[in-house]
Amino acid sequence: MAVAPPGKGSVGPRQVGVGGSGSLRAVRSAEARPHFVEGSIVRIFMENFLTYDVCEVHPGPNLNMIVGANGTGKSSIVCAICLGLAGKPSFIGRADKVGLFVKQGCLKGQVEIELSKTPDNIIITREIQVLNNTSAWFINRKPATLKTVEEQIAALNIQVDNLCQFLPQDKVGEFAKLSKIELLEATEKSIGPPEMYQFHCELKNFREKERELENLCRDKANSLEKMRQRIERYKQDVERYHERKRHLDLIEMLERKRPWVEYENVRQQHEEVKQSRDQAKEELKSLKELQSPVTKKIQETEEYFKSLDMKIRDKAAEIKDTSQKCKQKQEALEMKDKQIEEIYQALRMKKDEEMDRQRKIHNTHKLIEDWKNELNTMEVSENLQPQTDALNNELKKLQEERANIDSDISDITAEKMNQEREKKRIIDRLGQLNNIMNMKEENLKGRFRDTHSALMWLRKNKDKFKKKVCEPMMLEINMKDNRHAKYVENHISANDMRAFVFESQEDMEMFLVEMRDHQKLRVNAVCAPAESCAENLPSRPIEELHRYGFFSYLRELFDAPRPVMSYLCSQYRVHDVPVGTEKTRNMIERVIQETKLKQIYTAEERYVVKVSAYTNLMLSTNTSLRVAQFLSSSVDTDERIQLENQQQDLNNTLKSLDMRLTTLFERQKHLEHRDNELRQQKKELVERGNRRRQLESKIGVKYDSLKQLEQDAVNLEKESQQANVKIKEINTQKARLVTELMHLIKNCISLNILKADLVLQSTTVAAEKSRLESEYKAASVQLRAAEQRFRELDERKRVLTENCKELLKKARQVCRLSPDQNLPKEFQTAFQALPTTLEEIDAFLNEEKTRASCFTGLNASVVEEYNKQTQEIQQLTEYLEEKKNELENYKQNISQVKERWLNPLKKLIEQINEKFSTFFSSMQCVGEVDLHVENEEEYDKYGIRIRVKFHSSTELHELTPYHQSGGEKSVSTMLYLMALQELNRCPFRVVDEINQGMDPMNERRVFEMVVKTACKESTSQYFFITPKLLQNLTYNDRMTVLFVYNGPFMLEANKWNLKSFCRRRRRLGRMDEQ
């Protein structure tokens, strides 16, 4: 056995924990490099990958033991192999994103795997980007696609997703969970010939196709039989349909002949009517010739009558004109009479005005006399000025006092409005705070309904408890800044967030009995420490941590009742957990090393620092902070109490202001009443002083009015003379108008005599005209009768002509003839065998329709369906025959492929069973591997069954995830993989820490088998990862042991020199001997 040296390209150390560095040390003998199986791993290079800054590993061609303490980076090498060979993170079971495998604080990582191949090795490189979680691929340092990489890896039969080849630490338990079917497929891929798994897939596909074809043939055969039965039923319907069609054809021919018979009948009627019409036309012509002389004489009489009528109208117009002139003269005479009446009326009005003037003068003299008497009787006016001045002074004082009261009311009203505005502001703010509390309670009710029910009970029964009981912490905790809620929620568990806090243990036990036992509610409760921890001091002032970006301890970020704060300080040490910023995260390694803090919060992450049990080094884990759910809405308790006190003070102030306003309004009302009384007294004094002056003024005004009345006197005699002159002149005009009117009346009488003579002549002419018209009328009746008969015959001829055209058109349409096409001979021949009259045709037609109606429920679709079904039966028969042939071909293919797959598979499983049984026998246990078959035709149900027995008192049991212990499953898994080792086609196998659950005896036996099997020259490469080895194990020169170290005093990889190390060791050995 030898220890392999580190790679020559190794660069700087990997920092882990506090001041740690890590690198991989391997030693191998100096003898010639053994032969690598094609596809095995020659070199592994990692940069910024998990625990490594830069590391290069050179494994051996056979068994590679990778040994190191937990946390040093053994499994990191397994992860590098998987991800570097196009594996997915899910194959490893550690993380779901490839970016998480890059060393923390780096933006890019790299894994490079060199695979053995003839003539030149293949180097596959994967660069991992953290920001977008992507990878770039290279083959022999040249860019390539993932698909190209996967093709190269598949060509070398490397399967990192096959648990039979690649078994990482987090997937060891899953091997036992593999079903028999999955184990068979994994074994086929791992050690079977390349065509074995392909044959198996083909068999499953063939069997699926065979099953589909069998179902298809069975369904089609059933369908074919049903179709044949159905077509037999259609056959009778088709025969009845043809019988019905013969009747329908005869009906169609009768219906074609009937329009032609109708046309012929109407055409004969048309000829008869045409002859009668021509005779009526000749009779009408002779009657019109006899009536012509009478018509002429009537026209002459009509013209003479019209001339007389014209003369009568002219005379009537002249009479009307003369009458109009007479009427005008009469209207003029009436107008003159009206003018005389108006003159008399004006004179009477003058007389009335004069009498009214005299009466007003008399009344004015009497009124003046009365006022003079009153003035004479009135005493001399006393001196009212002192009384008036006294009233004015009192009114002035009242006005000043009212003004002061109005000013006080205005000031108090303004102050009241200000106080009410402030009160409204406080009420609104309290409403906002209550809404926040309600929102928090609704959040509690929606998430923890039992806790909310308990809260309602507590609020009604607080008097039952001896000491203070705090509501759930999520309601009692109030954040000073809602942005910091995420720190508190991530620090305090969800169970405690909804827990009630008690000061008394007895109170808490009573509460839990009531809630859990009586009301069956699931609630949490905690008890605050007997000695309060709320005022505990932190281990160091926050000012000392400011240089690391810390700005506060958790306790200073929120307010809470004293019991809640005491419990949180005791249980969660919120007084000693600092909160930092992005600056803290950027220097986190320095913070952990220098501050020795156990818990740290940065802007978006939580760090927990622990000391390793193996190396005594500080290990840190970090998690992203969850978004706050409960404390994002907080209520400032101090603000709420202050607002409630302010509200009470404002209510008292407003009550005092209302009392002052009431007093002022009553005083204002009293002053207003007194002001009205004084003004009334002043008004009475003023009226007493003004009465004499008013009387003197009124008397002067009346004297002026009297003088004006005396000046307006009317001369009635003069007015009477002027009226007589005007009346005389009007009477002269009336005499002239009467003379003219008499002349017009005489002229009108002569015109009426002439008109009467013309009317007599017109009457005589009218009588003659009436006689002639009577004679004409008698002749006209006979003429109209002749015209009526002619029109009726002409109309009948026209109607018959139209009917003939329509019937001819209809007959041609029925026979499908063009407008200018004559009846074909075949129709004429067919028509001769049919009845010739309409009555006979109708009777025959009804008889045939009755016979055709007996064939009900039949139509052309029956025949179409019959023909269609016949064609479908033929097509289905051909299709079924084709599918049967195809099914027979599949059965032959299945038989051939099955023989080529099953026989080699059985031999392969026999070989596995032989080696598996041998391994188990060497451990004084029993193990078997066989091919499990439920149904030989169900190829997707074939599987490999592993049965084991570890105790002589038990029987063989199938390997399952539940029956065997962890160590037994590990041993079974390891021995099955060992059985595959010599048969394996894959170039390498990886097994990570599978010996963890084994007892020392089994571990030693398994190790010896691994060394014996994996160190044979014919076997492929094997990676065995373990954190420990038993003492005095058996080793082999073909083994390669890779030691993974980790610590603050590690030698940098580029300074490691195996030869120098060996020389120094020999020198020290010689010194010890001396």
Side-chain angles (χ1 to χ4, degrees), residues 1-5 27-34 1037-1040 1058:
M1 181 193 71
V3 182
V27 181
R28 183 184 295 127
S29 63
E31 64 187 27
R33 183 180 180 87
D1037 290 340
R1038 294 182 183 273
M1039 289 176 59
T1040 300
L1058 178 61

Side-chain angles (χ1 to χ4, degrees), residues 538-732:
S539 58
R540 72 198 79 182
I542 191 64
E543 291 76 16
E544 293 183 9
L545 301 177
H546 283 171
R547 57 197 178 103
Y548 300 112
F550 294 106
F551 63 88
S552 174
Y553 286 107
L554 275 178
R555 183 176 61 185
E556 277 64 47
L557 299 181
F558 64 92
D559 293 323
R562 190 175 184 83
V564 176
M565 188 65 78
S566 176
Y567 174 78
L568 294 178
C569 289
S570 172
Q571 187 69 22
Y572 291 96
R573 298 189 60 78
V574 295
H575 63 285
D576 204 27
V577 177
V579 181
T581 60
E582 193 65 29
K583 175 183 176 182
T584 311
R585 182 182 181 280
N586 294 335
M587 54 189 303
I588 189 63
E589 293 187 359
R590 178 186 166 193
V591 171
I592 294 172
Q593 178 182 358
E594 296 179 3
T595 63
K596 311 297 185 181
L597 292 168
K598 299 297 180 63
Q599 294 189 67
I600 298 170
Y601 283 92
T602 64
E604 297 295 337
E605 292 178 330
R606 176 188 183 187
Y607 287 81
V608 178
V609 181
K610 296 181 181 179
V611 177
S612 172
Y614 289 98
T615 62
N616 204 31
L617 296 178
M618 301 181 71
L619 303 176
S620 65
T621 59
N622 64 302
T623 56
S624 298
L625 297 182
R626 303 186 307 275
V627 178
Q629 298 179 351
F630 308 116
L631 304 178
S632 56
S633 301
S634 298
V635 177
D636 190 336
T637 308
D638 295 338
E639 180 187 5
R640 185 174 183 177
I641 295 172
Q642 183 180 0
L643 289 173
E644 289 174 349
N645 293 335
Q646 290 179 4
Q647 185 181 19
Q648 184 63 35
D649 294 342
L650 286 174
N651 288 335
N652 296 333
T653 303
L654 288 172
K655 186 176 180 180
S656 174
L657 291 175
D658 287 336
M659 293 174 63
R660 290 176 60 190
L661 280 175
T662 303
T663 304
L664 289 173
F665 283 136
E666 291 177 355
R667 179 61 180 164
Q668 186 184 43
K669 185 176 180 181
H670 173 71
L671 291 176
E672 186 177 354
H673 180 68
R674 179 61 181 161
D675 184 83
N676 291 336
E677 290 178 350
L678 293 175
R679 289 182 183 278
Q680 184 64 29
Q681 294 176 12
K682 181 179 178 182
K683 181 179 179 183
E684 291 175 355
L685 289 175
V686 171
E687 288 178 351
R688 286 171 58 188
N690 292 338
R691 179 61 180 167
R692 184 178 183 86
R693 289 192 296 275
Q694 288 177 356
L695 289 174
E696 291 173 351
S697 176
K698 287 180 179 180
I699 291 171
V701 172
K702 286 300 179 183
Y703 272 123
D704 293 339
S705 177
L706 184 61
K707 185 178 179 181
Q708 183 65 36
L709 288 172
E710 290 175 349
Q711 291 176 357
D712 292 340
V714 179
N715 190 347
L716 293 176
E717 184 178 355
K718 183 180 178 181
E719 292 291 335
S720 178
Q721 290 176 359
Q722 290 176 354
N724 290 334
V725 171
K726 291 179 180 178
I727 291 170
K728 184 177 180 181
E729 184 180 354
I730 291 172
N731 284 333
T732 303

Side-chain angles (χ1 to χ4, degrees), residues 91-130:
F91 297 166
I92 306 170
R94 281 198 171 189
D96 57 347
K97 294 181 180 179
V98 71
L100 298 176
F101 289 87
V102 177
K103 175 192 170 188
Q104 186 176 1
C106 298
L107 299 177
K108 184 176 72 170
Q110 178 179 318
V111 175
E112 187 172 275
I113 308 292
E114 182 176 352
L115 301 175
S116 175
K117 189 177 180 182
T118 306
D120 296 319
N121 291 350
I122 297 177
I123 300 174
I124 297 175
T125 307
R126 181 175 189 171
E127 289 185 358
I128 304 170
Q129 300 290 338
V130 175

Side-chain angles (χ1 to χ4, degrees), residues 196-378:
M196 179 177 286
Y197 180 70
Q198 180 181 351
F199 287 156
H200 191 183
C201 293
E202 287 181 4
L203 277 174
K204 289 190 285 187
N205 293 333
F206 285 159
R207 176 55 186 158
E208 184 64 26
K209 289 288 185 180
E210 181 187 25
R211 192 182 295 112
E212 291 177 1
L213 286 173
E214 287 175 347
N215 294 334
L216 178 64
C217 291
R218 184 168 54 253
D219 293 342
K220 294 300 181 182
N222 293 335
S223 299
L224 183 61
E225 182 61 28
K226 291 178 181 178
M227 291 174 68
R228 286 172 176 166
Q229 294 174 2
R230 194 183 306 121
I231 201 170
E232 284 298 321
R233 293 195 299 270
Y234 285 156
K235 192 171 183 181
Q236 290 182 352
D237 292 340
V238 170
E239 292 175 355
R240 295 176 65 241
Y241 172 80
H242 287 304
E243 178 66 22
R244 177 174 173 270
K245 191 172 185 307
R246 285 193 292 272
H247 291 291
L248 292 177
D249 291 342
L250 184 56
I251 290 170
E252 182 181 6
M253 192 57 67
L254 287 168
E255 289 177 345
R256 285 180 175 177
K257 182 174 182 180
R258 193 178 189 286
W260 288 99
V261 175
E262 285 181 339
Y263 165 71
E264 186 60 30
N265 292 342
V266 174
R267 189 186 64 78
Q268 293 177 2
Q269 292 177 18
H270 175 269
E271 292 299 328
E272 293 173 357
V273 171
K274 183 179 179 183
Q275 293 177 4
S276 300
R277 172 186 169 276
D278 293 341
Q279 292 176 1
K281 186 176 181 181
E282 292 298 329
E283 291 177 2
L284 181 61
K285 183 178 179 183
S286 61
L287 287 173
K288 285 182 178 181
E289 290 175 356
L290 293 174
Q291 198 176 20
S292 180
V294 179
T295 303
K296 184 177 181 183
K297 193 171 183 180
I298 290 172
Q299 290 176 351
E300 292 173 354
T301 306
E302 179 72 26
E303 291 174 359
Y304 182 55
F305 178 79
K306 287 181 180 179
S307 65
L308 288 175
D309 187 57
M310 184 64 70
K311 290 177 181 179
I312 291 171
R313 281 199 295 272
D314 291 342
K315 292 300 178 183
E318 290 179 12
I319 292 169
K320 182 178 180 182
D321 184 48
T322 304
S323 299
Q324 186 68 27
K325 289 178 180 179
C326 289
K327 184 177 180 181
Q328 291 175 357
K329 295 300 180 183
Q330 288 175 347
E331 291 175 351
L333 286 172
E334 292 174 356
M335 182 62 68
K336 296 302 179 182
D337 291 337
K338 187 174 181 182
Q339 289 175 359
I340 292 171
E341 180 63 29
E342 289 174 354
I343 291 170
Y344 283 131
Q345 181 67 25
L347 183 59
R348 284 193 298 273
M349 290 176 64
K350 294 290 184 181
K351 290 179 180 180
D352 294 339
E353 288 176 4
E354 180 61 19
M355 289 175 67
D356 185 57
R357 188 182 67 82
Q358 292 295 337
R359 186 171 59 256
K360 287 182 179 179
I361 290 172
H362 177 267
N363 292 335
T364 303
H365 279 299
K366 184 178 178 181
L367 186 59
I368 291 172
E369 189 66 24
D370 294 338
W371 284 346
K372 284 181 177 180
N373 293 335
E374 182 181 355
L375 192 60
N376 291 331
T377 58
M378 185 177 292

Side-chain angles (χ1 to χ4, degrees), residues 376-511:
N376 291 331
T377 58
M378 185 177 292
E379 298 178 359
V380 178
S381 176
E382 69 265 30
N383 187 8
L384 303 175
Q385 189 62 37
Q387 299 180 33
T388 304
D389 292 342
L391 288 172
N392 287 335
N393 290 333
E394 189 173 355
L395 282 169
K396 184 176 180 182
K397 292 179 180 178
L398 281 174
Q399 291 296 333
E400 291 176 355
E401 186 175 356
R402 288 181 67 185
N404 291 333
I405 290 174
D406 289 342
S407 176
D408 291 344
I409 290 174
S410 177
D411 293 342
I412 294 173
T413 303
E415 184 179 357
K416 181 181 178 182
M417 291 176 64
N418 291 335
Q419 296 293 338
E420 287 178 343
R421 280 196 295 270
E422 181 64 17
K423 181 181 178 182
K424 183 177 183 302
R425 184 190 68 78
I426 291 172
I427 291 173
D428 291 343
R429 180 56 183 161
L430 284 172
Q432 293 175 0
L433 296 179
N434 289 332
N435 287 338
I436 293 173
M437 286 301 297
N438 291 337
M439 287 171 58
K440 294 177 73 173
E441 287 187 19
E442 287 298 322
N443 190 11
L444 175 66
K445 182 178 180 181
R447 292 176 176 272
F448 314 110
R449 185 170 295 275
D450 287 0
T451 305
H452 184 266
S453 300
L455 174 64
M456 296 296 102
W457 181 88
L458 175 66
R459 289 179 177 176
K460 296 177 182 178
N461 299 275
K462 282 192 174 182
D463 55 334
K464 295 183 179 181
F465 301 96
K466 297 178 180 179
K467 292 187 178 181
K468 181 177 180 182
V469 180
C470 296
E471 295 181 355
M473 292 188 196
M474 62 182 291
L475 300 182
E476 296 287 8
I477 295 175
N478 288 301
M479 301 303 302
K480 296 179 180 179
D481 188 336
N482 291 336
R483 293 176 298 176
H484 300 150
K486 58 184 179 181
Y487 303 120
V488 179
E489 285 197 25
N490 279 271
H491 194 71
I492 303 172
S493 70
N495 287 336
D496 279 355
M497 286 295 290
R498 58 190 178 98
F500 296 84
V501 182
F502 292 80
E503 288 187 327
S504 167
Q505 183 72 25
E506 183 181 351
D507 286 346
M508 184 180 75
E509 291 175 357
M510 188 267 284
F511 175 78

Side-chain angles (χ1 to χ4, degrees), residues 945-1005:
R945 179 173 59 180
I946 300 176
R947 294 190 298 166
V948 294
K949 183 174 77 170
F950 287 89
H951 307 287
S952 59
S953 60
T954 62
E955 297 185 2
L956 283 170
H957 287 285
E958 186 176 340
L959 181 65
T960 65
Y962 317 106
H963 191 275
Q964 288 79 17
S965 66
E968 291 172 346
K969 285 186 285 187
S970 298
V971 170
S972 302
T973 302
M974 195 66 194
L975 295 183
Y976 184 80
L977 295 179
M978 293 290 299
L980 301 183
Q981 179 67 16
E982 294 184 5
L983 305 174
N984 201 355
R985 278 194 312 111
C986 61
F988 65 86
R989 178 177 287 105
V990 177
V991 180
D992 190 0
E993 296 192 19
I994 198 170
N995 60 330
Q996 287 297 88
M998 300 181 189
D999 56 64
M1001 182 179 296
N1002 285 336
E1003 184 177 354
R1004 184 178 298 277
R1005 290 172 179 175

Side-chain angles (χ1 to χ4, degrees), residues 857-876:
L858 299 176
N859 51 45
S861 62
V862 175
V863 179
E864 293 177 2
E865 185 66 23
Y866 179 82
N867 296 333
K868 181 180 177 183
Q869 290 285 342
T870 303
Q871 186 176 2
E872 287 180 356
I873 287 172
Q874 182 179 357
Q875 293 175 352
L876 186 57

